Amino acid sequence: MERQTKIFDTKTQMLKCSVLEKVARHAWRDDLLENILSIPKEIIPAGSEPSMRCCVYKERAILAERVHHAMGGDRSSRNVISVINIACDDCPSSGYTVTDVCRGCLAHFCAEVCPRGAISYDEQHKAHIDKEKCINCGRCAQACPYSAIINRSRPCEDACKIKAVSMAPDGSSKIDDEKCIACGACAYHCPFGAITDKSFIINVIDMIKKSEGNSKYKVFAVVAPAIASQFSYAKIGQVIRGLKELGFSEVVEVALGADIVAFEECGELVEKGMLTSSCCPAFVSYIEKHIPEMLSYVSHNPSPMGAIGKRLKTENPGCKVVFIGPCTAKKMEFQKPELRPFIDSVMTFEELQALFDSRDIDLASLEEEPLDDASGFGRIFARSGGLSEAVAQGLKERGFEDFECRPVVCSGIAECQKALLLASKGKLDGNFIEGMACVGGCVNGAGCLNHGEKNRLSVDKHGASAAKQSICGSLEALAAERKKEPAGV
């Protein structure tokens, strides 16, 4: 755990990884079912003092629920983001609240500006807000000369910009699956880790084991370019070697799929004149659920994950393809009928760290292996603005210089909402919407080990290190590689 404190942002991530590691370790040993109930005691052994909750027994009860989610969670619910009710610490309800700073003044500015008469006073002349009447307009807070009224919000509700998270009658958080886009922002921002993504880690282990050393079929790991900003304690070449140690036959860059998408997408933009990206599944889900009138503008090209998965499945019949990246929404995307034939499972970087730990793989001690499938433009898809730069490059390489690409780069779902609303009303100053549900792009996805501006810098460096610095050069190399392959491969 000492090493994990250096690579994770929070202790909730460390705890999540610990549970995933225990589940994975038993799955490798084929004794998971016999040890499901003992995993909480492995993490919190007899004689331990409570470190997070009122008692060890509640901590173990919560861990039992975490184990359930690490094994796939409630299969009857299609959403991959769910609430662990027993772990939800009954945070104060969201909304405007009068604090003890209230002086009980004579002016009653707060009550005077309230449009719903939601403010009353007690015998000590202190103000109180009737939650049934309050519409959270904030006028009272603005009017109070003592700043005695504050707007409290639950971290999960505040993180969810599409208002899919609310408070259940029992005080715990609840997720509206009809609104949720599976971006995972609520899960990352919950201080108690009470909201989490379901894991398919045991499915991945099962695929690797049943391949019998890749003799029955190949198991490909396709890694998102954001991987360059993760696993800071090792070099990227060592991470690639680590994936081979886990049992993957080959490691392929999803950025190669990004090259394919950029090449096709720029042509689609010229043809249609107005387009939105299709790379971020949470962004596409937002359009499907909240602004369906914009669906006709979504690129018909698959995401880079879908593009590279299709290529691998076509060239390696019977193979298994596992996407590994920063995105929880990918766990929803790969289950769509149009993606199911090409992607067999999805893991986050958090889950990959747990897999390394479950096999006692010390990445820093491994030899490096090369990873150089894609162009620099495909690699920078991982950060906000990178997709637009790649499309502009594609237009140039394909001879569409006369077409003016006016991208609108949206960093975070709030910016996506604004751009899509303007576009739906014909008022957007642009013809290509690059939608990224996570602020900063994939480099700050909910499944990342760490987050921050340095991740963007790492991806830019990763892009600059690519041997191929043109999209067409990357695709030409891919075509040449296909010609070299023996028939039937």
Side-chain angles (χ1 to χ4, degrees), residues 38 126 128 168 172 179 198 209 230 293 439:
S38 66
K126 303 288 186 179
H128 294 274
S172 65
K179 293 181 179 179
K198 298 174 184 176
K209 289 169 65 176
Q230 305 295 301
E293 61 268 28
V439 176

Side-chain angles (χ1 to χ4, degrees), residues 3 6-7 230-235 238 353 356-357 361-364 449:
R3 185 181 69 197
K6 298 176 182 177
I7 63 171
Q230 305 295 301
F231 305 98
S232 56
Y233 61 91
K235 297 176 181 177
Q238 293 173 316
Q353 178 62 57
F356 287 143
D357 291 343
I361 295 173
D362 179 13
L363 295 181
L449 307 178

Side-chain angles (χ1 to χ4, degrees), residues 320-438:
K320 303 293 184 182
V321 178
V322 179
F323 172 87
I324 302 171
C327 182
T328 53
K330 287 290 183 187
K331 294 183 179 184
M332 293 289 284
E333 183 190 12
F334 97 96
Q335 298 183 69
K336 288 185 172 183
E338 61 269 29
L339 266 294
R340 214 58 179 101
F342 310 124
I343 303 295
D344 295 284
S345 196
V346 167
M347 288 199 310
T348 63
F349 293 137
E350 289 178 330
E351 290 163 326
L352 179 56
Q353 178 62 57
L355 267 191
F356 287 143
D357 291 343
S358 74
R359 301 298 275 173
D360 298 314
I361 295 173
D362 179 13
L363 295 181
S365 67
L366 300 179
E367 294 291 326
E368 291 188 66
E369 287 215 7
L371 182 71
D372 203 8
D373 301 315
S375 78
F377 288 97
R379 287 178 172 181
I380 62 173
F381 263 56
R383 51 91 168 158
S384 183
L387 195 162
S388 294
E389 291 176 36
V391 168
Q393 177 69 13
L395 288 169
K396 179 181 176 182
E397 292 186 25
R398 292 189 63 180
F400 295 131
E401 290 100 331
D402 292 339
F403 182 85
E404 183 187 3
C405 178
R406 293 178 289 118
V408 179
V409 177
C410 301
S411 175
I413 201 63
E415 290 187 7
C416 294
Q417 287 176 306
K418 181 180 178 180
L420 289 166
L421 182 61
L422 289 171
S424 68
K425 297 180 180 299
K427 296 181 179 180
L428 183 71
D429 183 19
N431 58 9
F432 178 69
I433 300 176
E434 179 197 304
M436 293 282 191
C438 297

Side-chain angles (χ1 to χ4, degrees), residues 26-76:
H26 285 293
W28 289 116
R29 295 173 180 168
D30 287 323
D31 63 0
L32 177 58
L33 293 180
E34 302 96 292
N35 288 281
I36 290 174
L37 298 179
S38 66
I39 291 176
K41 292 182 180 179
E42 290 178 28
I43 298 173
I44 305 177
S48 298
E49 293 293 326
S51 60
M52 298 169 282
R53 305 288 179 163
C54 58
C55 63
V56 167
Y57 305 104
K58 183 170 183 179
E59 290 184 351
R60 286 178 180 163
I62 293 172
L63 283 173
E65 287 297 312
R66 296 192 191 282
V67 169
H68 174 61
H69 282 77
M71 295 176 63
D74 180 6
R75 300 301 175 96
S76 66

Side-chain angles (χ1 to χ4, degrees), residues 45-155:
S48 298
E49 293 293 326
S51 60
M52 298 169 282
R53 305 288 179 163
C54 58
C55 63
V56 167
Y57 305 104
K58 183 170 183 179
E59 290 184 351
R60 286 178 180 163
I62 293 172
L63 283 173
E65 287 297 312
R66 296 192 191 282
V67 169
H68 174 61
H69 282 77
M71 295 176 63
D74 180 6
R75 300 301 175 96
S76 66
S77 172
R78 187 172 175 274
N79 197 347
V80 296
I81 307 296
S82 57
V83 179
I84 303 174
N85 291 327
I86 191 175
C88 191
D89 202 51
D90 193 17
C91 297
S93 59
S94 297
Y96 285 88
T97 303
V98 181
T99 69
D100 56 8
V101 178
C102 177
R103 308 311 301 155
C105 68
L106 200 60
H108 291 179
F109 291 116
C110 55
E112 292 296 328
V113 299
C114 180
R116 295 298 178 91
I119 297 179
S120 60
Y121 299 88
D122 61 21
E123 294 179 356
Q124 284 73 43
H125 311 293
K126 303 288 186 179
H128 294 274
I129 298 175
D130 185 337
K131 295 293 184 182
E132 296 296 319
K133 296 180 180 178
C134 179
I135 58 173
N136 291 315
C137 66
R139 295 180 188 177
C140 56
Q142 295 170 8
C144 179
Y146 296 105
S147 299
I149 302 177
I150 61 172
N151 183 19
R152 278 204 182 114
S153 61
R154 289 185 167 201

Side-chain angles (χ1 to χ4, degrees), residues 185-201:
C186 56
Y188 175 71
H189 285 92
C190 176
F192 286 91
I195 304 179
T196 189
D197 54 308
K198 298 174 184 176
S199 177
F200 300 105
I201 197 168

